[in-house]
Short mmCIF file of all heavy atoms in Angstrom, two decimals:
data_model
loop_
_atom_site.label_atom_id
_atom_site.label_comp_id
_atom_site.label_asym_id
_atom_site.label_seq_id
_atom_site.Cartn_x
_atom_site.Cartn_y
_atom_site.Cartn_z
N PHE A 36 9.35 2.69 -3.50
CA PHE A 36 9.71 2.57 -2.09
C PHE A 36 9.22 3.78 -1.30
O PHE A 36 8.68 3.63 -0.20
CB PHE A 36 11.23 2.42 -1.94
CG PHE A 36 11.66 2.39 -0.51
CD1 PHE A 36 11.45 1.25 0.26
CD2 PHE A 36 12.25 3.49 0.07
CE1 PHE A 36 11.84 1.22 1.59
CE2 PHE A 36 12.65 3.48 1.39
CZ PHE A 36 12.44 2.33 2.15
N ILE A 37 9.37 4.97 -1.85
CA ILE A 37 8.89 6.17 -1.17
C ILE A 37 7.37 6.13 -1.05
O ILE A 37 6.82 6.48 0.00
CB ILE A 37 9.36 7.44 -1.92
CG1 ILE A 37 10.88 7.59 -1.77
CG2 ILE A 37 8.66 8.69 -1.39
CD1 ILE A 37 11.47 8.67 -2.63
N ALA A 38 6.68 5.71 -2.09
CA ALA A 38 5.21 5.61 -2.03
C ALA A 38 4.78 4.59 -0.97
O ALA A 38 3.83 4.84 -0.22
CB ALA A 38 4.65 5.24 -3.39
N LEU A 39 5.48 3.46 -0.88
CA LEU A 39 5.16 2.47 0.15
C LEU A 39 5.46 3.00 1.55
O LEU A 39 4.71 2.73 2.49
CB LEU A 39 5.94 1.18 -0.10
CG LEU A 39 5.36 0.25 -1.14
CD1 LEU A 39 6.31 -0.91 -1.38
CD2 LEU A 39 3.99 -0.26 -0.73
N ALA A 40 6.53 3.76 1.69
CA ALA A 40 6.86 4.33 3.00
C ALA A 40 5.80 5.32 3.45
O ALA A 40 5.37 5.31 4.62
CB ALA A 40 8.23 5.00 2.93
N VAL A 41 5.34 6.17 2.54
CA VAL A 41 4.29 7.13 2.89
C VAL A 41 3.00 6.39 3.21
O VAL A 41 2.29 6.73 4.16
CB VAL A 41 4.08 8.15 1.74
CG1 VAL A 41 2.85 9.00 1.97
CG2 VAL A 41 5.31 9.02 1.59
N ALA A 42 2.68 5.35 2.45
CA ALA A 42 1.48 4.56 2.72
C ALA A 42 1.57 3.88 4.08
O ALA A 42 0.59 3.82 4.83
CB ALA A 42 1.27 3.52 1.62
N ALA A 43 2.75 3.38 4.43
CA ALA A 43 2.93 2.74 5.74
C ALA A 43 2.74 3.74 6.87
O ALA A 43 2.13 3.42 7.90
CB ALA A 43 4.30 2.10 5.81
N MET A 44 3.23 4.96 6.68
CA MET A 44 3.03 6.00 7.70
C MET A 44 1.55 6.34 7.84
O MET A 44 1.07 6.59 8.95
CB MET A 44 3.85 7.24 7.37
CG MET A 44 5.33 7.06 7.59
SD MET A 44 6.27 8.56 7.38
CE MET A 44 6.46 8.59 5.61
N MET A 45 0.83 6.35 6.72
CA MET A 45 -0.60 6.63 6.79
C MET A 45 -1.34 5.52 7.52
O MET A 45 -2.27 5.79 8.29
CB MET A 45 -1.16 6.81 5.39
CG MET A 45 -0.78 8.09 4.75
SD MET A 45 -1.55 8.20 3.13
CE MET A 45 -0.70 9.60 2.49
N VAL A 46 -0.97 4.28 7.26
CA VAL A 46 -1.61 3.16 7.96
C VAL A 46 -1.32 3.26 9.46
O VAL A 46 -2.21 3.06 10.28
CB VAL A 46 -1.13 1.81 7.39
CG1 VAL A 46 -1.55 0.67 8.27
CG2 VAL A 46 -1.67 1.63 5.98
N TRP A 47 -0.07 3.57 9.81
CA TRP A 47 0.27 3.72 11.22
C TRP A 47 -0.55 4.84 11.86
O TRP A 47 -1.06 4.70 12.96
CB TRP A 47 1.76 4.00 11.38
CG TRP A 47 2.15 4.23 12.80
CD1 TRP A 47 2.50 5.42 13.35
CD2 TRP A 47 2.19 3.28 13.85
NE1 TRP A 47 2.77 5.27 14.67
CE2 TRP A 47 2.58 3.94 15.01
CE3 TRP A 47 1.93 1.92 13.92
CZ2 TRP A 47 2.72 3.30 16.22
CZ3 TRP A 47 2.08 1.29 15.14
CH2 TRP A 47 2.47 1.97 16.26
N ASN A 48 -0.71 5.94 11.17
CA ASN A 48 -1.51 7.06 11.67
C ASN A 48 -2.98 6.66 11.80
O ASN A 48 -3.64 7.02 12.78
CB ASN A 48 -1.38 8.27 10.74
CG ASN A 48 -2.05 9.50 11.31
OD1 ASN A 48 -2.14 9.66 12.51
ND2 ASN A 48 -2.53 10.34 10.42
N MET A 49 -3.48 5.88 10.85
CA MET A 49 -4.87 5.43 10.90
C MET A 49 -5.10 4.50 12.08
O MET A 49 -6.10 4.60 12.78
CB MET A 49 -5.24 4.72 9.60
CG MET A 49 -6.68 4.28 9.54
SD MET A 49 -7.05 3.36 8.04
CE MET A 49 -5.99 1.95 8.21
N VAL A 50 -4.18 3.59 12.33
CA VAL A 50 -4.32 2.65 13.44
C VAL A 50 -4.21 3.37 14.78
O VAL A 50 -4.94 3.07 15.72
CB VAL A 50 -3.25 1.53 13.31
CG1 VAL A 50 -3.18 0.69 14.57
CG2 VAL A 50 -3.54 0.67 12.11
N ARG A 51 -3.31 4.33 14.85
CA ARG A 51 -3.07 5.05 16.09
C ARG A 51 -4.21 6.00 16.44
O ARG A 51 -4.50 6.23 17.61
CB ARG A 51 -1.76 5.83 15.95
CG ARG A 51 -1.19 6.33 17.23
CD ARG A 51 0.07 7.07 16.93
NE ARG A 51 -0.27 8.14 15.99
CZ ARG A 51 0.51 9.18 15.76
NH1 ARG A 51 1.66 9.26 16.33
NH2 ARG A 51 0.14 10.11 14.92
N ASN A 52 -4.87 6.55 15.45
CA ASN A 52 -5.92 7.53 15.66
C ASN A 52 -7.22 6.83 16.03
O ASN A 52 -7.59 5.83 15.43
CB ASN A 52 -6.12 8.36 14.39
CG ASN A 52 -6.73 9.69 14.67
OD1 ASN A 52 -7.30 9.91 15.72
ND2 ASN A 52 -6.61 10.59 13.71
N LYS A 53 -7.94 7.35 17.01
CA LYS A 53 -9.18 6.72 17.46
C LYS A 53 -10.44 7.37 16.86
O LYS A 53 -11.51 6.80 16.92
CB LYS A 53 -9.28 6.79 18.99
CG LYS A 53 -8.14 6.07 19.68
CD LYS A 53 -8.13 4.61 19.34
CE LYS A 53 -6.98 3.92 20.05
NZ LYS A 53 -6.68 2.64 19.49
N ASP A 54 -10.29 8.55 16.28
CA ASP A 54 -11.43 9.24 15.69
C ASP A 54 -11.77 8.60 14.34
O ASP A 54 -10.92 8.52 13.45
CB ASP A 54 -11.09 10.72 15.51
CG ASP A 54 -12.27 11.52 14.97
OD1 ASP A 54 -13.42 11.10 15.17
OD2 ASP A 54 -12.02 12.57 14.35
N TRP A 55 -12.99 8.14 14.18
CA TRP A 55 -13.36 7.41 12.96
C TRP A 55 -13.31 8.32 11.72
O TRP A 55 -13.01 7.86 10.63
CB TRP A 55 -14.73 6.76 13.09
CG TRP A 55 -15.87 7.71 13.14
CD1 TRP A 55 -16.40 8.30 14.23
CD2 TRP A 55 -16.61 8.21 12.02
NE1 TRP A 55 -17.43 9.13 13.88
CE2 TRP A 55 -17.59 9.09 12.52
CE3 TRP A 55 -16.56 7.99 10.64
CZ2 TRP A 55 -18.49 9.76 11.70
CZ3 TRP A 55 -17.46 8.65 9.82
CH2 TRP A 55 -18.41 9.52 10.36
N GLN A 56 -13.58 9.61 11.90
CA GLN A 56 -13.54 10.51 10.75
C GLN A 56 -12.11 10.67 10.24
O GLN A 56 -11.88 10.70 9.02
CB GLN A 56 -14.12 11.87 11.12
CG GLN A 56 -15.61 11.82 11.37
CD GLN A 56 -16.16 13.13 11.87
OE1 GLN A 56 -15.45 13.93 12.46
NE2 GLN A 56 -17.44 13.36 11.63
N GLN A 57 -11.16 10.75 11.14
CA GLN A 57 -9.76 10.83 10.74
C GLN A 57 -9.30 9.53 10.09
O GLN A 57 -8.51 9.54 9.15
CB GLN A 57 -8.87 11.16 11.94
CG GLN A 57 -9.02 12.58 12.44
CD GLN A 57 -8.48 13.58 11.43
OE1 GLN A 57 -7.53 13.30 10.72
NE2 GLN A 57 -9.08 14.74 11.37
#
Side-chain angles (χ1 to χ4, degrees):
F36 176 75
I37 292 171
L39 279 174
V41 171
M44 287 186 277
M45 286 182 191
V46 168
W47 177 252
N48 187 30
M49 182 184 62
V50 169
R51 196 180 57 163
N52 204 343
K53 300 298 180 197
D54 183 25
W55 69 271
Q56 292 174 335
Q57 289 292 328

